[in-house]
Amino acid sequence: MFAKHDPKPKPGSFESLLGKSVEVKGTVKSKGSLRIEGAVEGGVETAGDVTISEGAVVNASVKAQSAAIAGVVNGNVMCTGRLELYPSARVKGDVSAAMFAVSEGAVFQGHAQVQETGKLNVPDPEAKGQN
């Protein structure tokens, strides 16, 4: 039912890639889908989907349409769609999503809130001064 390994993207399924050697301090904003394989400290906001690969470390809040997490996230995660934690995922923070799936082996410490689809407010990364 659940994948046992890092979620593999389909060709062209993400617009931006932060590779294993990339470290970002600050807020990453994107209108499209994003794959993180490196390290982010600060915030991640995308109007699309985000994939946090095994080996990635994200010390940041994450806001996205949907998220697939196989790495480490220390921060809150908010999705308007699906949030999936793969077996290698380590998430410490509160999560909110329309659908929430946790694979056997994943570690989650925090509170989870599952809302009706479309009821969550994920800000547009281009909107300034609004959260």
Side-chain angles (χ1 to χ4, degrees):
M1 179 157 102
F2 293 109
K4 296 284 183 194
H5 303 287
D6 191 23
K8 299 294 181 202
K10 297 173 191 157
S13 66
F14 59 90
E15 184 176 271
S16 300
L17 169 68
L18 298 178
K20 292 179 182 180
S21 64
V22 176
E23 293 182 21
V24 176
K25 290 188 180 185
T27 302
V28 176
K29 294 184 180 185
S30 175
K31 288 183 180 179
S33 295
L34 178 65
R35 183 174 177 94
I36 300 171
E37 296 178 350
V40 176
E41 186 175 327
V44 176
E45 297 177 13
T46 180
D49 301 332
V50 65
T51 299
I52 299 172
S53 299
E54 187 171 358
V57 178
V58 176
N59 293 312
S61 61
V62 177
K63 296 178 183 176
Q65 172 64 35
S66 295
I69 300 174
V72 175
V73 176
N74 294 306
N76 298 334
V77 180
M78 183 185 296
C79 299
T80 56
R82 181 180 179 86
L83 170 58
E84 186 165 359
L85 305 185
Y86 284 79
S88 58
R90 303 293 179 260
V91 176
K92 187 174 183 180
D94 296 340
V95 300
S96 181
M99 293 171 276
F100 183 38
V102 181
S103 295
E104 184 176 340
V107 175
F108 168 63
Q109 295 177 321
H111 294 94
Q113 187 173 33
V114 178
Q115 305 244 351
E116 291 181 50
T117 303
K119 295 287 184 180
L120 300 173
N121 181 24
V122 175
D124 180 347
E126 293 300 307
K128 295 182 180 179
Q130 298 176 352
N131 276 3

